Amino acid sequence: MAITQEMFRFVTTRRPEQALRYRVDRRLVRDLRATHPGSLLVTLFAAGPFPPKVSAAEAYARGSGFVAADDPLVLALEPAADYFRRELVPGAVLADLQAAFQAEQPALAALLATRPSANVLQATVEFIGRLWDSTYTLVTLGFDRYVSTQYCADALRVYQVLRLWWLHVAAGRETWTGGTFDEYELIIDLDAAQDPGSRTGTPAGTSAGTAGRDRAPGRPAALIAPGTGGPSVSVPLTVGGTMPPVVGDLLLVEQELRRYELGEMAETQTIMRGERREQTIRTLARTSQTTTTTT
């Protein structure tokens, strides 16, 4: 059994890394549709009392547009989500990914064509809109009771990856420069809900990294609390003149003793049966003081 001994330790301090906005935006999945006062996003997330929002969400959940977890289209997307979660890594060769994806998901692979058919694009846009409205509904109902939104999130991630994949191919890239499948997170644009019409939509085939990102300087990001009449929590985007704290890294230097190496013998003594040989080492420290007085 190896014995680990700590030799010494020390701490180094450094400034924390700044979370750059553009790096965060590249990993966000956004609703690219234009907002208007009658949209479900505004109905459920604009300022107003919470009980009517729950009623509106329950009404949409009972309608034909709601996408449930056992919807055939959701079940058809599960193998694609599993494939991307397993194979999509930075630096992966797109040609190899497309060959395997074409064999497993020929219907979805049609979206990777240079010019997908109008019918396929129209059906995809409509289904993505239903997924977003279902996500808004589930989030609203989640304030009141437990609901699962993971199947909607995975479905929207699949279409986000396909859109970014198409942009990679259109730009002539040969390897995947994006993130892994689970790094893409959904975001609900509360600014668009509070100000209908502020988001005019993003044309198909363009990047959503800057959609809904324009914000007046100093305007906080607001959160909606259940049961209140509007924004109740404001998180400022800046901290004024306050300097950020430093981060300390504790570093340990250890050694691991694995075995003893064979060396030369220092002394050999012969002891017969019944004999006892003892060796005593005595260390004596003596201090002597002499005092002489002369008159």
Side-chain angles (χ1 to χ4, degrees):
M1 175 177 170
I3 301 177
T4 302
Q5 296 180 345
E6 179 181 330
M7 302 295 291
F8 59 91
R9 63 176 61 190
F10 60 95
V11 176
T12 61
T13 59
R14 57 182 173 84
R15 293 285 296 275
E17 297 180 0
Q18 183 181 4
L20 298 180
R21 185 66 181 272
Y22 81 95
R23 294 181 180 176
V24 177
D25 284 336
R26 290 172 56 187
R27 297 294 187 268
L28 296 180
V29 184
R30 302 177 181 273
D31 187 358
L32 305 183
R33 298 175 300 171
T35 56
H36 53 84
S39 61
L40 196 59
L41 171 64
V42 177
T43 301
L44 299 182
F45 291 94
F50 186 64
K53 299 178 185 298
V54 176
S55 300
E58 290 177 341
Y60 184 81
R62 293 190 297 266
S64 59
F66 181 75
V67 180
D70 57 351
D71 190 281
L73 294 177
V74 171
L75 297 178
L77 289 174
E78 288 184 353
D82 182 66
Y83 175 81
F84 287 141
R85 185 171 280 115
R86 184 180 67 253
E87 302 293 340
L88 193 66
V89 294
V93 180
L94 294 179
D96 298 339
L97 290 176
Q98 187 164 2
F101 189 73
Q102 177 71 35
E104 293 187 14
Q105 300 290 324
L108 288 176
L111 294 174
L112 299 176
T114 304
R115 291 186 177 181
S117 63
N119 294 335
V120 172
L121 289 178
Q122 181 64 25
T124 302
V125 170
E126 292 178 357
F127 183 61
I128 292 176
R130 291 176 55 198
L131 284 173
W132 274 112
D133 288 340
S134 301
T135 302
Y136 299 148
T137 299
L138 293 172
V139 170
T140 303
L141 296 179
F143 287 131
D144 187 55
R145 58 181 179 273
Y146 174 79
V147 293
S148 175
T149 60
Q150 186 60 38
Y151 68 94
C152 282
D154 277 353
L156 289 170
R157 286 190 186 105
V158 168
Y159 287 112
Q160 174 76 356
V161 169
L162 290 174
R163 187 180 66 86
L164 295 177
W165 192 345
W166 188 91
L167 292 175
H168 275 62
V169 176
R173 297 179 180 175
E174 298 181 353
T175 59
W176 177 256
T177 60
T180 60
F181 183 76
D182 290 307
E183 288 182 1
Y184 295 97
E185 297 291 346
L186 276 62
I187 182 172
I188 298 177
D189 193 347
L190 296 183
D191 287 341
Q194 300 299 325
D195 186 13
S198 62
R199 187 177 65 194
T200 58
T202 302
T206 61
S207 174
T210 58
R213 192 172 58 183
D214 297 334
R215 178 180 289 143
R219 180 178 179 183
L223 301 178
I224 304 300
T228 62
S232 62
V233 181
S234 296
V235 181
L237 299 180
T238 61
V239 292
T242 303
M243 297 298 294
V246 297
V247 177
D249 297 321
L250 175 62
L251 303 178
L252 301 178
V253 179
E254 299 177 340
Q255 71 171 357
E256 189 176 79
L257 302 179
R258 297 182 177 274
R259 62 186 180 275
Y260 289 99
E261 296 289 349
L262 180 63
E264 297 181 358
M265 292 185 179
E267 183 182 0
T268 302
Q269 296 184 2
T270 302
I271 302 177
M272 299 184 65
R273 186 186 297 274
E275 290 184 345
R276 181 179 179 182
R277 183 70 57 86
E278 292 183 358
Q279 183 178 0
T280 302
I281 300 177
R282 179 171 178 263
T283 302
L284 176 62
R286 177 178 296 174
T287 302
S288 178
Q289 181 177 357
T290 302
T291 304
T292 303
T293 303
T294 304
T295 301

